[in-house]
Amino acid sequence: MNTVVNWEKRAGALADQVTDPDSRWRPLVAAVPRHELVPRWWEADGSGGWALREGGSNEDAWAEVAYADRSLVTRVGGLHADHASPGDRPEGLPTSSATQPSLTVRMLRHGRLGTGLSLLDLGTGAGGLAAYACCRIGERYVTSQDVDAYLTTAAASRLAALGLHPKFITGDATERVPGTYDRIVSTVGLPTGPGLRPVLAALAPGGRIATTLARTSLIITGWKQPNGDVVGRVEHDTAGFMLTRSGDDYPPPLTELLAHARASEGETTTTGRYPVLDVSNARELRSMLEVTAPGVELAYESSGLTRTAYLAHPDGSWARASAEGTASPEVHEAGPQRLWQTLDRIRERLNTESSLPLLGARVRITPDGVCHLWRGQWRASMGAE
């Protein structure tokens, strides 16, 4: 094991930052040497790529990032930092990370862990959530599952070195989840529809789940009913987790359609009502767009004063909106849906009602994975085939 001098003091300071003084999670965060779980990580290099960082080569930098309340990217595309060389510059999206400690604690709180209750940790990552859970309810009640065999193997080895021995499973949770559990806490964004069915089936009757939905920041919590439905709510809290993946990397994005959106005139050209924005960084808008038009992919570019946003949907719809500064954008759209008009309607609702109906909405997820949401007169469903 590598060591960081005075890690206990640093872990204690982190615990002070991410928990309350009377929180039962406070001593547990303080007891976990987080640096041992992340000996290597990736940092964005400012040019769209990633640079490797090695803890052992700079102990002060290692301690600073390991005990900061931040997520650390450990895998980009198919390349884990543990397997990289200093000159490697992977491109693409992060596919695994050590989750931000405060968010890990929040998800565990949403999960309502308790003595004698079994927990499934979906999305092993670096093993931080499993470590905290073991310290809270005991290792024999904790199981962690990830699609990536290296992640489960590395986490098992590193937690064992800390004296923690939860059970690890390697497998695609959208295909199969062995066993049943009283609590499921997911730190990956789960799909609705067929991909959610194995997770729902693994939740014991009367059990509780806490997860986000894919491409949203919505934290869904709910209790499993005798008929198999999960009934709960959208919490007044948000989180941005990576999508589930079934293979070494995410499925290919709508690259060709987004490229078409960059170069084409579109079937219609209109003037948008609201300024261009990077939708991916507007969490509530992004979530409402996914609920309204599930599967939308986004891209955003800025050059000088000009800002351009692109939207693409698997049904072939696309939109491009471009303008200088906060001017009304010129909008090009094509396909079955008018995606930018959909986004404008969502923004109009936000401006008119001062909020969107998502946070605090009621939720019912049926065993087929369809997620029904409602609040007041608003209704929506996700995942229907």
Side-chain angles (χ1 to χ4, degrees):
M1 293 175 62
N2 297 310
T3 58
V4 164
V5 175
N6 294 328
W7 73 263
E8 295 93 341
K9 181 178 180 181
R10 294 177 182 274
L14 175 63
D16 289 343
Q17 180 183 356
V18 304
T19 67
D20 293 324
D22 64 345
S23 171
R24 60 187 175 185
W25 293 106
R26 185 173 180 273
L28 310 183
V29 175
V32 173
R34 188 174 184 239
H35 70 283
E36 300 284 3
L37 304 180
V38 196
R40 288 175 151 209
W41 65 98
W42 294 107
E43 285 190 358
D45 64 7
S47 62
W50 299 85
L52 181 65
R53 298 289 183 261
E54 299 184 70
S57 65
N58 188 330
E59 184 181 291
D60 289 339
W62 189 17
E64 183 177 348
V65 299
Y67 296 101
D69 186 28
R70 56 174 284 194
S71 294
L72 297 175
V73 173
T74 54
R75 192 176 188 274
V76 175
L79 184 58
H80 197 287
D82 290 352
H83 303 145
S85 300
D88 289 336
R89 291 291 184 271
E91 296 182 356
L93 296 174
T95 48
S96 187
S97 70
T99 302
Q100 183 181 9
S102 60
L103 179 53
T104 301
V105 171
R106 279 161 40 209
M107 291 303 294
L108 286 165
R109 285 173 172 160
H110 286 309
R112 307 275 184 86
L113 276 62
T115 303
L117 298 176
S118 58
L119 167 70
L120 175 64
D121 160 32
L122 274 182
T124 299
L129 188 146
Y132 293 164
C134 285
C135 294
R136 169 70 183 89
I137 61 174
E139 61 187 32
R140 68 192 182 102
Y141 296 106
V142 179
T143 300
S144 184
Q145 178 168 342
D146 201 287
V147 70
D148 190 321
Y150 178 72
L151 296 181
T152 53
T153 300
S157 175
R158 289 164 183 166
L159 265 62
L162 305 180
L164 302 174
H165 301 86
K167 180 180 179 181
F168 286 91
I169 298 171
T170 300
D172 181 358
T174 67
E175 295 289 340
R176 180 172 179 266
V177 179
T180 56
Y181 306 89
D182 300 308
R183 300 290 185 265
I184 297 178
V185 175
S186 175
T187 51
V188 290
L190 294 177
T192 53
L196 187 54
R197 294 172 188 170
V199 178
L200 298 174
L203 185 62
R208 180 176 173 86
I209 188 172
T211 185
T212 59
L213 300 180
R215 296 188 181 87
T216 81
S217 59
L218 305 178
I219 298 177
I220 305 293
T221 61
W223 302 91
K224 191 168 186 179
Q225 308 300 304
N227 67 354
D229 289 358
V230 171
V231 177
R233 60 180 291 179
V234 179
E235 295 289 340
H236 286 276
D237 189 8
T238 60
F241 289 123
M242 300 172 191
L243 301 176
T244 55
R245 53 186 172 87
S246 297
D248 200 45
D249 202 347
Y250 301 121
L254 300 175
T255 304
E256 291 186 7
L257 189 57
L258 287 169
H260 186 68
R262 286 179 168 87
S264 301
E265 290 301 309
E267 297 169 355
T268 62
T269 303
T270 58
T271 300
R273 296 190 60 183
Y274 303 103
V276 176
L277 82 164
D278 183 357
V279 182
S280 62
N281 286 324
R283 282 189 167 184
E284 199 170 359
L285 285 175
R286 175 65 179 106
S287 298
M288 191 66 170
L289 180 62
E290 179 63 20
V291 170
T292 307
V296 173
E297 293 187 12
L298 311 172
Y300 176 81
E301 299 170 347
S302 62
S303 177
L305 296 177
T306 302
R307 301 187 294 179
T308 307
Y310 308 90
L311 283 67
H313 191 274
D315 69 2
S317 302
W318 62 265
R320 179 181 73 250
S322 186
E324 289 192 1
T326 58
S328 297
E330 181 178 270
V331 179
H332 295 261
E333 295 180 282
Q337 302 183 69
R338 293 296 178 258
L339 296 176
W340 196 263
Q341 291 181 35
T342 298
L343 179 62
D344 268 357
R345 287 194 294 271
I346 294 171
R347 296 174 76 176
E348 181 178 11
R349 179 170 193 159
L350 177 60
N351 290 343
T352 301
E353 301 179 11
S354 301
S355 66
L356 294 172
L358 292 174
L359 301 184
R362 300 298 300 171
V363 173
R364 179 181 294 274
I365 308 174
T366 49
D368 58 359
V370 177
C371 181
H372 304 277
L373 303 99
W374 70 95
R375 186 177 180 185
Q377 299 301 309
W378 176 74
R379 300 285 189 277
S381 295
M382 303 172 66
E385 295 184 84

